[in-house]
Amino acid sequence: MKFLRWLQLAGSCLLLTNVVFAQKVNNKYNLSIRKTSQPVQIDGIVNDAAWQEADKARDFFMVLPMDTSFANIKTEVQMSYDDHFIYLVAVCYHGRNGNYVVESLRRDFAFQKNDNFLFFFDPFEDQTSGFSFGANAAGAQWDGFIYEGGKMDLSWDHKWISKVVNYEDRWVFEAAVPFKTIRYKKGITNWGINFSRNDLHAFEKSSWAPVPRQFPTVSLAYTGNLVWDAPPPSTGANISLIPYVLGGLSKDYDKGTPTDYRKDIGADAKISITSSLNLDLTVNPDFSQVEVDRQVTNLDRFELFFPERRQFFLENADIFGNFGYANIRPFFSRRIGLNVPIQFGARLSGKLNKDWRIGLMDMQTKSVPERDLPVQNFAVLSLQRKVFSRSNIGFLFVNKQSINYEPDKDPVTPEHRQYNRTLGLEYNLASPGNYWTGKALVLKSFSPVGGNRTITTAANLNYTSRQLFLSWQHEYVGKDFQAEVGYVPRTGYLKFNPQAGYLFFPKKSPVLSHGPLLQTIYYTNEQGRKTDYEHSLTYRTNFRNQAVLNAYVSKTYIELLMPFDPTNTGSDSLATGTQHHFNTAYIEYISKPKSLFTYAANVRYGGYYNDGSRLQLTGEFGYRFQPYVGITMSSTYNDIRVPGTWGRRSFWLVGPRVDVTLTNNFYFTAFGQYNEQTKNVNLNTRLQWRYKPASDFFIVYTDNYLPEYMSVKNRALVAKFTYWFSL
């Protein structure tokens, strides 16, 4: 197959870009860490004996707005440890008069919207995976798992303690991270380390070991060295049990059924097999505390993507869910148990050694007799082998199997099929300095429902420098490729997607950078006949105060491959094979994050299907009573005019939100959504009290209404209590 030959050629090109021997970029930046014999009090006061002896990391480098000098804002960091904890203190001096800038006291804040300090561990010295901890200037904690050399998984949530104290000329962050919280290889006395500071008053981001401005400061390719005076201590047995109890009630007013009362118990367990390999178990899991999805006005021809939000599936999710591309995901955990109860599950994930990483997950759902759904088992195996300096080869196997279910014949619907399997292999490129990145993959599916075009192949290669961005991507998805536990909204196509962009950096100007981005997305069917394209030119402008202005124009062609209602409301459909041409213009502005009042707005106008037109107005406006209350109003208006039976249709989507963070451990959110397209009003309120580290009490109330007369469709109330036992 010529597509496989293309994949082989692309993979060879990716390999050639990575064979150059790489010494660590920031190898000369070293910070010694010595064991302390005196207790360290986590109080934000730098008077412990450990801090009188510890080395200091200072003289940070500016990353933004430009990476050509030392930072203007002074930061000093010290580290120490004992048999149980790693200690850190950071003194963050003010550069200008004025209070700090933060969104709220909520955990895992948005980095770019808060004055904050973060630090990054690479405890395997592999420059691909690690851990991050930090806080904003009001003391809200941040922690996450680092994967693929510089991407953050903020769903990773563990027990550690910190304190922030504000002074007139500085704020101080002090933290103690238990060795049991992180994973690391025994005997290694050199870890990758870097520190990052964001100061919105000075419009400056900085790091201890220098990082080029086009990369995030979390990039593990640019860490310095944390040099231990002795190997870090062994963590010993590390077992945690996290049970929950739940009570609640719900009522469906549409169906007129009696009130349903809930009383559930369940538990998760975390068992450290080694210091770098963890086993997670769950029995009768419940995810009622998870925030509701943000609704969208759906005008797309294909299935929309909504991210996973359930905690059990999020931890170490990268090794399972990052296989493939955004629209070619052979595994998508949201396919498991969203509308079917989960009985139990297990996940083994982590490092086997410096070069090998494993992810093994098995989940089983309950049967649903009223829907003729059998018990189903979902098994996933993922392996990664590091190659060269920062790249890896990955293997994935996904199996969905119905248990004790033998229909007379293979049904059409995926929910009733006896099995579905996907096998995949991919190569991920990350060059030593992260300038070259890319991927090449091949997938094959297996299903009792026929077809022989079950292969998918794809590859991409990117070059990113301070000024220049170049990218090439192509995809082939066979018509019969079926990944039922994945997210592949479209099959039977070839796609080509080249991009090229350039940035200019004017001196002594409110504009930090500006420049064009050219992109083409071109689709054909499997025989090579054109079916879709979109050519676009975007002009990006970034201001020194971190405001953003973007504008683009595009030219689009679509040949419908199936009937499509351009309003997605159940009206008439445009016929298969009809061809549609239209042009679109778009402009967007995002205000500077420093202000108490922030806003973002965009306008899109252009043609639409069947020689129609579409106007879209989107806005988000927020005001914060720092740091306790944040109020946001988001809205989208679509005015669609399509000749024929559709005529003029308009859709409002409005979403007010209130976030209250009375302390670092007490959060309340009220989120409403009015969706005119689906004729639904949703109200979701969520109270969370973190009464102990990693232990929570939740109260969640949900209402759904019909917009006419605000008549209730259904409502539910849940109270849930979790507790983290360390055994």
Side-chain angles (χ1 to χ4, degrees):
M1 293 176 63
K2 62 181 180 180
F3 306 120
L4 288 175
R5 290 198 296 271
W6 287 355
L7 178 69
Q8 186 179 31
L9 177 60
S12 300
C13 294
L14 295 176
L15 286 167
L16 286 172
T17 65
N18 203 39
V19 296
V20 178
F21 175 78
Q23 186 179 13
K24 191 171 182 179
V25 176
N26 287 328
N27 214 28
K28 64 180 181 179
Y29 294 89
N30 299 292
L31 177 66
S32 296
I33 180 170
R34 291 185 287 272
K35 188 174 184 179
T36 179
S37 59
Q38 301 295 321
V40 177
Q41 189 74 23
I42 305 303
D43 54 11
I45 302 173
V46 192
N47 60 357
D48 299 289
W51 306 135
Q52 312 311 313
E53 304 169 356
D55 290 356
K56 286 186 180 181
R58 46 162 65 101
D59 298 328
F60 278 40
F61 286 84
M62 189 185 297
V63 178
L64 292 175
M66 286 302 294
D67 55 1
T68 54
S69 66
F70 285 104
N72 294 316
I73 309 302
K74 182 181 176 183
T75 309
E76 295 180 342
V77 185
Q78 295 175 279
M79 297 187 68
S80 186
Y81 75 100
D82 60 19
D83 289 332
H84 304 288
F85 294 92
I86 302 172
Y87 299 106
L88 178 143
V89 64
V91 182
C92 304
Y93 291 92
H94 296 317
R96 299 183 181 181
N97 294 329
N99 295 326
Y100 56 73
V101 179
V102 298
E103 278 187 300
S104 69
L105 300 174
R106 182 175 292 276
R107 191 185 187 93
D108 294 334
F109 47 83
F111 174 88
Q112 69 275 15
K113 295 181 180 181
N114 290 261
D115 287 348
N116 63 70
F117 173 87
L118 308 177
F119 60 103
F120 315 113
F121 287 135
D122 178 5
F124 287 89
E125 272 286 274
D126 61 6
Q127 301 178 58
T128 58
S129 59
F131 304 90
S132 177
F133 300 88
N136 69 14
Q141 288 187 334
W142 155 300
D143 55 8
F145 177 74
I146 305 170
Y147 64 96
E148 292 187 7
K151 297 178 181 178
M152 287 294 307
D153 177 6
L154 293 177
S155 65
W156 186 85
D157 192 4
H158 272 262
K159 298 173 71 172
W160 59 288
I161 55 176
S162 66
K163 179 71 173 179
V164 167
V165 176
N166 279 268
Y167 301 91
E168 185 176 351
D169 64 334
R170 68 197 184 282
W171 58 276
V172 176
F173 165 67
E174 194 168 20
V177 178
F179 281 105
K180 287 187 176 184
T181 289
I182 59 177
R183 309 283 175 253
Y184 56 93
K185 184 172 178 59
K186 294 180 180 179
I188 293 183
T189 57
N190 197 92
W191 291 10
I193 191 77
N194 209 353
F195 312 110
S196 175
R197 170 91 184 274
N198 195 38
D199 189 296
L200 291 174
H201 268 293
F203 305 120
E204 181 179 275
K205 181 170 74 169
S206 58
S207 64
W208 170 60
V211 179
R213 69 178 309 279
Q214 67 267 26
F215 302 126
T217 48
V218 70
S219 296
L220 297 182
Y222 291 94
T223 59
N225 300 308
L226 183 65
V227 183
W228 296 77
D229 61 349
S234 173
T235 58
N238 187 1
I239 301 174
S240 299
L241 182 65
I242 311 153
Y244 80 84
V245 294
L246 176 149
L249 52 91
S250 61
K251 183 171 177 61
D252 192 323
Y253 290 85
D254 270 355
K255 296 180 180 178
T257 55
T259 301
D260 180 28
Y261 294 93
R262 293 185 61 190
K263 288 184 272 187
D264 282 329
I265 60 172
D268 293 347
K270 296 179 178 291
I271 304 168
S272 289
I273 306 301
T274 69
S275 63
S276 57
L277 187 64
N278 202 65
L279 175 65
D280 293 276
L281 306 172
T282 187
V283 177
N284 193 31
D286 170 83
F287 307 104
S288 56
Q289 80 279 9
V290 174
E291 291 189 354
V292 297
D293 290 318
R294 286 184 173 269
Q295 298 182 32
V296 297
T297 301
N298 181 11
L299 297 172
D300 202 274
R301 293 178 293 152
F302 303 102
E303 178 190 13
L304 297 178
F305 178 86
F306 290 94
E308 177 65 87
R309 297 179 182 274
R310 297 171 294 174
Q311 185 70 24
F312 185 85
F313 293 101
L314 287 172
E315 292 192 17
N316 288 318
D318 68 290
I319 195 170
F320 301 105
N322 278 26
F323 206 99
Y325 292 100
N327 288 321
I328 306 177
R329 293 289 184 208
F331 176 72
F332 179 38
S333 60
R334 224 180 137 99
R335 301 292 188 204
I336 304 174
L338 263 191
N339 299 308
V340 180
I342 296 175
Q343 288 181 301
F344 53 81
R347 180 183 62 234
L348 179 71
S349 58
K351 291 272 194 177
L352 296 174
N353 55 40
K354 185 177 180 180
D355 294 326
W356 283 96
R357 191 168 174 230
I358 188 173
L360 177 62
M361 181 162 60
D362 189 85
M363 307 292 293
Q364 188 152 305
T365 60
K366 298 178 182 179
S367 64
V368 184
E370 58 268 26
R371 292 168 53 194
D372 193 31
L373 286 180
V375 173
Q376 292 186 319
N377 184 268
F378 299 82
V380 191
L381 171 64
S382 179
L383 288 170
Q384 285 183 1
R385 173 64 162 87
K386 181 183 175 184
V387 293
F388 307 115
S389 61
R390 300 181 60 242
S391 302
N392 67 70
I393 296 174
F395 167 83
L396 183 75
F397 175 69
V398 183
N399 183 58
K400 170 189 170 186
Q401 189 83 39
S402 295
I403 308 298
N404 299 323
Y405 181 69
E406 297 180 0
D408 295 334
K409 58 182 179 179
D410 290 325
V412 175
T413 57
E415 292 84 358
H416 296 86
R417 292 176 188 155
Q418 288 181 296
Y419 69 88
N420 178 259
R421 298 171 188 132
T422 306
L423 194 66
L425 188 68
E426 74 174 18
Y427 170 70
N428 289 284
L429 164 72
S431 67
N434 216 45
Y435 289 90
W436 290 96
T437 57
K439 177 180 289 192
L441 68 88
V442 59
L443 303 167
K444 179 173 175 57
S445 67
F446 304 85
S447 175
V449 179
N452 56 12
R453 286 179 283 183
T454 57
I455 294 289
T456 288
T457 66
N460 78 299
L461 182 62
N462 309 313
Y463 175 77
T464 306
S465 70
R466 181 186 298 164
Q467 293 181 289
L468 181 64
F469 173 72
L470 298 172
S471 176
W472 169 269
Q473 180 174 335
H474 67 265
E475 303 171 1
Y476 163 70
V477 180
K479 179 177 178 293
D480 304 310
F481 181 77
Q482 298 177 38
E484 293 177 12
V485 197
Y487 177 77
V488 186
R490 183 172 181 172
T491 60
Y493 72 86
L494 269 164
K495 173 185 173 182
F496 305 93
N497 180 202
Q499 298 181 64
Y502 193 85
L503 286 176
F504 301 94
F505 293 90
K507 295 181 179 180
K508 297 180 180 180
S509 167
V511 174
L512 172 63
S513 64
H514 63 93
L517 175 67
L518 285 166
Q519 178 176 211
T520 291
I521 303 175
Y522 191 92
Y523 286 91
T524 74
N525 63 13
E526 291 177 284
Q527 289 72 45
R529 184 175 60 82
K530 174 185 70 179
T531 60
D532 306 67
Y533 67 69
E534 180 176 278
H535 309 311
S536 64
L537 169 62
T538 303
Y539 206 89
R540 304 159 293 165
T541 305
N542 299 286
F543 297 90
R544 290 186 183 273
N545 64 5
Q546 300 184 24
V548 175
L549 175 65
N550 293 320
Y552 84 73
V553 292
S554 65
K555 180 179 178 63
T556 302
Y557 164 77
I558 293 174
E559 177 186 334
L560 290 178
L561 305 177
M562 61 186 71
F564 175 61
D565 170 15
T567 65
N568 266 341
T569 58
S571 302
D572 289 344
S573 296
L574 296 167
T576 299
T578 56
Q579 299 178 0
H580 307 270
H581 299 262
F582 46 88
N583 301 321
T584 303
Y586 172 96
I587 187 166
E588 171 189 51
Y589 182 77
I590 303 172
S591 69
K592 61 183 180 182
K594 172 184 173 181
S595 302
L596 293 177
F597 174 69
T598 58
Y599 59 93
N602 64 64
V603 179
R604 169 179 175 167
Y605 181 75
Y608 199 56
Y609 294 90
N610 208 35
D611 295 323
S613 66
R614 177 186 175 189
L615 169 67
Q616 178 179 290
L617 306 174
T618 302
E620 181 169 291
F621 307 91
Y623 191 86
R624 65 179 186 272
F625 299 90
Q626 184 174 291
Y628 303 111
V629 180
I631 301 172
T632 305
M633 171 62 78
S634 59
S635 61
T636 301
Y637 173 74
N638 276 276
D639 183 275
I640 299 171
R641 306 185 185 200
V642 182
T645 59
W646 301 273
R648 179 181 179 184
R649 301 289 179 92
S650 61
F651 302 119
W652 277 101
L653 178 64
V654 181
R657 181 185 180 102
V658 177
D659 282 288
V660 180
T661 55
L662 298 178
T663 71
N664 290 338
N665 301 310
F666 195 89
Y667 318 127
F668 173 78
T669 301
F671 184 31
Q673 296 183 96
Y674 165 57
N675 191 329
E676 189 175 10
Q677 186 184 40
T678 60
K679 295 181 172 57
N680 186 68
V681 176
N682 172 262
L683 174 65
N684 180 264
T685 61
R686 181 176 179 269
L687 183 146
Q688 178 183 359
W689 174 33
R690 175 149 289 190
Y691 58 91
K692 290 188 65 176
S695 301
D696 297 288
F697 175 68
F698 297 96
I699 298 177
V700 181
Y701 177 74
T702 303
D703 251 337
N704 282 288
Y705 301 89
L706 288 168
E708 294 83 7
Y709 311 111
M710 292 297 289
S711 57
V712 179
K713 295 166 65 176
N714 53 69
R715 60 175 41 142
L717 175 67
V718 171
K720 182 178 179 182
F721 176 88
T722 68
Y723 190 87
W724 185 304
F725 291 96
S726 295
L727 306 178

